[in-house]
Amino acid sequence: MEAAGRRKASSSGGGARLHVAMLALQLGYAGFHVVSRLALDMGVSKLVFPVYRNLIALSLLAPFAYFLEKKERPAMTASLLLQFFFLALCGITANQGFYLLGLENTSPTFASAIQNSVPAITFAMAAALRIEQVRLSTCDGLAKVAGTLLCVAGASVITLFKGPAIFGPTTNGHQQQQQQQQLAAVMAVGDGDKKSWTMGCVYLIGHCLSWSGWLVLQAPVLKRYPARLSVTSYTCFFGLLQFLAIAAFLERDAAAWVVRSGPELLTILYAGFVASGVAFAVQTWCIHRGGPVFVAVYQPVQTLLVAVMASLLLGEHFYLGGIIGAVLIVAGLYLVLWGKNQERATAAAKEAFSSAAAAAISDQPAAADSCLKQPFLPPPATSDNV
């Protein structure tokens, strides 16, 4: 059924909308890395922040889901409710919880970089569950595998290999050396007594595993329940309940629930409206149209956008590593998209051949068809033979 969704996306208009939606999605998530770190630095609780985030997202999505999908929603069953619960547990509670724990112990740039393991993890999960067909004996299968690896490698190079500065604001050589030494020290021992870089990496790996699982598990759920906005709303609802239950035991300070300043409010609104409400709906739509691996393969673009935004808005340099990483990312994306296009073309050719063969058989004359199927049938008996 995923192949049918891909054939829908192969039309020029639908395909262009799908790519634009994915680029906009990555841009929104790139800004979310910075916003989330600002919220944590301002003292917003790691449990209160996702509660407000999902509450805003649910308030935004639920009315649209109710009125726009009245005729599309299948009957609700206990099995579907259980699937929505586990979707929320994987895609919201574990995903967002591990992310905030990892972000607090590392940095937004590193969090964005490590998320580039999501395409590889999703690819492996989807292939294991036979949601994504991969034939290593064909060119399209090899292209998808190589493209995914190139995307991961390119985004990792952007963060892990700096190289000489290509362009950006002029800085004192002593200042640049000092910044590099500070970055190396933080990566080696952490950013304070209460922070652990190693545990931050472990949390972020858990975040990536949860995110990949959510991407893969959504595909079969959408086949049974094709109302995309409703799926997202139910997921936010159960995620909100799960975070409230956790906060009831772990967040005992009532003052933590009070928004104390305008910047805190802005970070929560951005997280709720952009990173949860709009992004969840767009990502669900993209999964339905392009499949889970298609969505995950765009993840490395996010790190590229973070690097560009940091260079333009924060005055940071754009280094040779960023240029090399960008080239690898673009090459990887083209490889994956070429592989998927080849796969669609092969499937369409097989379907056209099958349709032509069936039409040729159905066009045979009835008499000829009878002779071919029953050549030794004796003539019908007459009254003279009785």
Side-chain angles (χ1 to χ4, degrees), residues 2 5-7 9 18 132 283-295 340 344:
E2 188 182 49
R6 290 173 180 170
R7 286 195 293 273
L18 187 60
E132 180 76 12
Q283 188 157 295
T284 302
W285 180 82
C286 291
I287 290 172
H288 179 71
R289 296 296 298 270
V293 174
F294 177 86
V295 173
K340 296 178 82 66
R344 285 196 298 265

Side-chain angles (χ1 to χ4, degrees), residues 120-186:
I121 297 172
T122 306
F123 183 84
M125 287 183 177
L129 295 174
R130 298 185 179 180
I131 297 175
E132 180 76 12
Q133 294 183 354
V134 181
R135 297 179 295 273
L136 295 179
S137 59
T138 62
C139 291
D140 59 271
L142 289 174
K144 288 192 290 184
V145 173
T148 301
L149 294 177
L150 275 178
C151 287
V152 175
S156 300
V157 166
I158 289 177
T159 302
L160 303 179
F161 172 66
K162 206 168 201 178
I166 303 301
F167 63 89
T170 57
T171 57
N172 189 302
H174 175 69
Q175 292 177 347
Q176 183 176 352
Q177 183 180 6
Q178 195 175 32
Q179 290 173 359
Q180 292 177 349
Q181 291 174 350
Q182 290 174 351
L183 177 61
V186 169

Side-chain angles (χ1 to χ4, degrees), residues 101-112:
L101 288 170
L103 181 64
E104 184 185 40
N105 286 276
T106 57
S107 68
T109 304
F110 187 79
S112 176

Side-chain angles (χ1 to χ4, degrees), residues 278-366:
V278 176
F280 277 11
V282 172
Q283 188 157 295
T284 302
W285 180 82
C286 291
I287 290 172
H288 179 71
R289 296 296 298 270
V293 174
F294 177 86
V295 173
V297 82
Y298 262 89
Q299 173 65 28
V301 178
Q302 182 184 132
T303 304
L304 174 62
L305 292 173
V306 170
V308 173
M309 290 168 61
S311 178
L312 295 178
L313 302 178
L314 304 178
E316 295 185 5
H317 288 78
F318 204 69
Y319 294 91
L320 178 61
I323 301 293
I324 297 174
V327 172
L328 290 175
I329 288 173
V330 173
L333 285 176
Y334 274 112
L335 271 177
V336 172
L337 296 178
W338 180 85
K340 296 178 82 66
N341 286 333
Q342 287 295 111
E343 185 183 33
R344 285 196 298 265
T346 303
K350 289 182 179 179
E351 185 177 354
F353 178 79
S354 300
S355 300
I361 293 175
S362 63
D363 287 343
Q364 293 290 337

Side-chain angles (χ1 to χ4, degrees), residues 264-276:
E264 287 187 13
L265 179 62
L266 288 177
T267 59
I268 292 172
L269 290 176
Y270 184 93
F273 280 103
V274 178
S276 286

Side-chain angles (χ1 to χ4, degrees), residues 1 12 17 25 30 46 48 57 69 87 130 133 149 157 163 183 185 217 219-220 223 234 260 313 320:
M1 309 309 292
S12 58
R17 286 195 297 270
L25 181 67
K46 294 184 293 295
V48 173
E69 296 181 338
L87 270 181
R130 298 185 179 180
Q133 294 183 354
L149 294 177
V157 166
L183 177 61
L217 293 176
K223 292 178 183 178
Y234 279 117
R260 296 181 293 270
L313 302 178
L320 178 61

